[in-house]
């Protein structure tokens, strides 16, 4: 997967596809290149599946300023990621 694939996944979730009971598997490491990142999921469009990290990495994550979706992203990051 590429950065564009991860962005497409994020956009699907943020636009209402919650991936309920589905597993999304990271097939390759992704470098976010220190660009500002919009978190996956919002308070109204939450990711409801399982994100399998597959021992890959997502590196150079950058979220600055106040973003109400950051808390939701951190819950995903620490609760649903499998390795």
């Amino acid at each position: 997967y590429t950065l564009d694939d991860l962005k497409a996944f994020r956009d699907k979730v943020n636009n209402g596809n919650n991936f309920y009971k589905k597993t999304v598997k990271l097939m390759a490491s992704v470098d976010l290149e220190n660009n500002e990142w919009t978190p996956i999921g919002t308070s109204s469009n939450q990711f409801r599946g399982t994100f399998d990290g597959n021992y890959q990495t997502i590196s150079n994550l950058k979220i600055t300023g106040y973003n109400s979706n950051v808390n939701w992203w951190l819950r995903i990051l620490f609760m649903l990621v499998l390795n």
Side-chain angles (χ1 to χ4, degrees), residues 16-52:
N17 183 346
N18 65 12
F19 290 83
Y20 182 67
K21 291 190 176 184
K22 294 183 181 174
T23 297
V24 176
K25 191 172 190 175
L26 189 63
M27 299 304 291
S29 293
V30 177
D31 183 352
L32 298 179
E33 303 170 350
N34 284 319
N35 292 315
E36 186 69 24
W37 179 254
T38 300
I40 298 170
T42 67
S43 58
S44 58
N45 292 316
Q46 301 172 359
F47 177 69
R48 306 285 302 215
T50 299
F51 188 91
D52 182 348

Side-chain angles (χ1 to χ4, degrees), residues 3-21:
L3 176 56
D4 288 337
D5 294 328
L6 189 61
K7 287 179 180 179
F9 166 66
R10 173 204 57 204
D11 293 344
K12 285 180 184 178
V13 173
N14 292 357
N15 287 316
N17 183 346
N18 65 12
F19 290 83
Y20 182 67
K21 291 190 176 184

Side-chain angles (χ1 to χ4, degrees), residues 59-71:
S59 60
N60 298 312
L61 171 67
K62 178 182 175 184
I63 301 173
T64 59
Y66 175 78
N67 186 321
S68 62
N69 297 323
V70 170
N71 186 39

